[in-house]
Amino acid sequence: MKFITKFFWLFVGVLFIFSGLIKINDPVGTAIKLEEYFEVFSHDISPVFLSLVPAALFLSIFLSAAEIVLGVALLIRWKLKEVLWLLLAMIVFFTFLTFYSAYFNKVTDCGCFGDAIKLTPWESFTKDVVLLVMIIWLLLYRRHLQPLVQAKVGATVTALTALISVGIGWYAYEHLPYVDFRAYKIGNNIPALMKPSAPLRYKYVMVKDGQEEEFEDYPMDEAYTFKEMVAVNPEDGPKITDFNVWNDEGDFTQEILSGNKLLVIVHSVEKANRSNIDKISKLVQEAEQQGITPVIITSSGRQEFEAFRHEVGLAAPYYFGDGTVLKTMMRSNPGTMLLQDGTVKGMWHHNDTPEVSELVNLL
């Protein structure tokens, strides 16, 4: 009994810290996922959830920091009863989210471990159920877990953990994720990731007499009814499937992915931070003089963007892209990305807009 309890104690504590660190590494990505949940709930449950959308970033940092703090408090066994009840409340909340995602197929990636580890909705739900069982066990048998530190030491460690966690999250928001797990990270070649790494293989799911059967080749027996075709090796499929750039004249995706390009990504004009636009405008002008073609990509409408670029003096050809894709590419609005024949050579938050010499050196 003691061994099981201590194993659960260690497993739960480490997993909550790991989960929190992954999410607080990319608070903007976590906020985007929370907004997705709020929009789904506003449609399915109540419009009141839309009022939470403006608070998504705050909740992203708060919940991620809470996971880390509670994980650390559990490991040092500080105020064990209270910490376990808080963990129980949190895991019940997460279990509801993942069950809703899985059962209603609403949010296909829960974001439990950010972009680092992708779980299907049912895998996420199963993980949360296992954690729920473990936390309930720890509540019932916490007598086997004696405090490891004095109360004052525990309080100090927990408070410092909270301050450091929030600081880490805020710094990542004001710059970019410390560790980039996205498909558009520095060093990746976008055109290569738009192709499968190996030929995709499929299996056929057929139904006969109410029973499902799977086949590598399509069965000729007419007694079978086709249900679905499922990829056997989905991990070999394209990692990027939705990158597309266009304007009224047509598709410019391949042109963007050839030569030396400086992409200025503006998710939306409405939410764009204007504090460093002058630095980006200067970089655009100097990059063009160095033979680096500046290109702006936005999801805002033409009329809206025309007014914006004249207001801030951003002079470069602009194209349109999907808002979700642009948020995946760049966590800053606006931000810059340097491409060389589709390979990401560098990316910068608007707070860290580089000098043109840095672009030249990277190329």
Side-chain angles (χ1 to χ4, degrees):
M1 194 72 73
K2 289 182 179 180
F3 174 81
I4 295 174
T5 303
K6 288 183 178 180
F7 173 77
F8 286 178
W9 156 75
L10 184 62
F11 184 88
V12 172
V14 170
L15 192 65
F16 265 85
I17 293 172
F18 175 73
S19 175
L21 286 173
I22 289 293
K23 288 200 277 284
I24 212 162
N25 168 72
D26 182 12
V28 175
T30 305
I32 291 170
K33 185 58 61 178
L34 287 174
E35 288 177 9
E36 191 176 348
Y37 273 113
F38 295 152
E39 288 168 3
V40 168
F41 291 158
S42 70
H43 181 270
D44 293 357
I45 300 175
S46 169
V48 73
F49 282 97
L50 283 179
S51 64
L52 295 175
V53 171
L57 179 64
F58 166 79
L59 291 172
S60 165
I61 295 177
F62 174 78
L63 291 174
S64 302
E67 285 190 71
I68 299 170
V69 170
L70 291 175
V72 169
L74 177 63
L75 289 184
I76 63 175
R77 302 176 190 173
W78 177 73
K79 291 198 175 289
L80 191 59
K81 181 180 178 180
E82 292 84 350
V83 166
L84 285 171
W85 276 110
L86 288 171
L87 284 171
L88 181 64
M90 183 172 282
I91 200 62
V92 167
F93 171 69
F94 288 154
T95 304
F96 166 73
L97 291 185
T98 53
F99 172 76
Y100 196 91
S101 299
Y103 188 81
F104 295 102
N105 196 31
K106 292 288 185 177
V107 182
T108 55
D109 175 19
C110 73
C112 303
F113 299 110
D115 291 300
I117 303 174
K118 295 289 188 179
L119 298 177
T120 67
W122 283 115
E123 287 173 344
S124 300
F125 174 67
T126 302
K127 178 262 299 178
D128 286 341
V129 169
V130 170
L131 284 173
L132 180 64
V133 171
M134 288 183 174
I135 293 170
I136 291 173
W137 177 286
L138 290 173
L139 271 169
L140 294 174
Y141 297 102
R142 63 182 183 275
R143 64 180 180 275
H144 297 301
L145 300 172
Q146 298 302 315
L148 295 179
V149 297
Q150 294 180 351
K152 289 184 178 180
V153 174
T156 302
V157 170
T158 304
L160 285 174
T161 301
L163 288 173
I164 293 171
S165 298
V166 172
I168 288 172
W170 189 255
Y171 188 87
Y173 165 66
E174 290 288 346
H175 300 275
L176 289 176
Y178 302 90
V179 182
D180 197 346
F181 297 103
R182 293 166 294 164
Y184 298 92
K185 68 181 180 180
I186 294 173
N188 279 6
N189 182 268
I190 296 174
L193 293 175
M194 293 171 70
K195 302 173 183 177
S197 57
L200 288 176
R201 295 176 287 109
Y202 296 89
K203 63 182 178 182
Y204 300 94
V205 181
M206 312 294 292
V207 179
K208 181 180 180 181
D209 298 329
Q211 299 295 319
E212 289 187 6
E213 295 184 46
E214 297 178 354
F215 298 89
E216 292 185 4
D217 298 313
Y218 196 92
M220 294 296 103
D221 188 345
E222 295 182 357
Y224 286 102
T225 302
F226 174 80
K227 181 181 179 182
E228 61 180 337
M229 188 168 66
V230 181
V232 176
N233 56 334
E235 67 281 357
D236 292 326
K239 302 299 184 292
I240 297 175
T241 60
D242 45 12
F243 179 76
N244 192 31
V245 179
W246 70 91
N247 66 12
D248 292 342
E249 297 178 10
D251 187 282
F252 285 83
T253 305
Q254 294 308 313
E255 183 174 328
I256 297 298
L257 297 175
S258 61
N260 298 330
K261 297 291 193 303
L262 174 66
L263 306 187
V264 179
I265 299 175
V266 182
H267 302 163
S268 69
V269 167
E270 181 184 359
K271 297 181 179 180
N273 189 307
R274 290 160 166 77
S275 60
N276 293 299
I277 289 288
D278 56 335
K279 295 180 182 178
I280 294 176
S281 296
K282 178 173 177 282
L283 180 65
V284 164
Q285 295 171 11
E286 294 178 348
E288 195 164 20
Q289 294 171 3
Q290 295 291 331
I292 304 169
T293 305
V295 172
I296 304 168
I297 308 178
T298 183
S299 64
S300 295
R302 177 178 296 280
Q303 185 175 355
E304 188 180 12
F305 189 77
E306 279 285 354
F308 169 78
R309 78 186 191 114
H310 285 299
E311 174 194 339
V312 300
L314 196 56
Y318 66 91
Y319 301 87
F320 302 103
D322 178 78
T324 301
V325 175
L326 297 184
K327 289 177 182 178
T328 302
M329 293 176 67
M330 176 60 61
R331 295 308 198 201
S332 170
N333 182 29
T336 49
M337 178 182 288
L338 181 65
L339 298 183
Q340 184 177 51
D341 292 326
T343 297
V344 181
K345 304 297 289 186
M347 66 172 67
W348 299 269
H349 192 284
H350 64 78
N351 285 331
D352 305 310
T353 303
E355 298 292 331
V356 72
S357 58
E358 186 174 348
L359 305 188
V360 174
N361 289 336
L362 288 171
L363 294 171

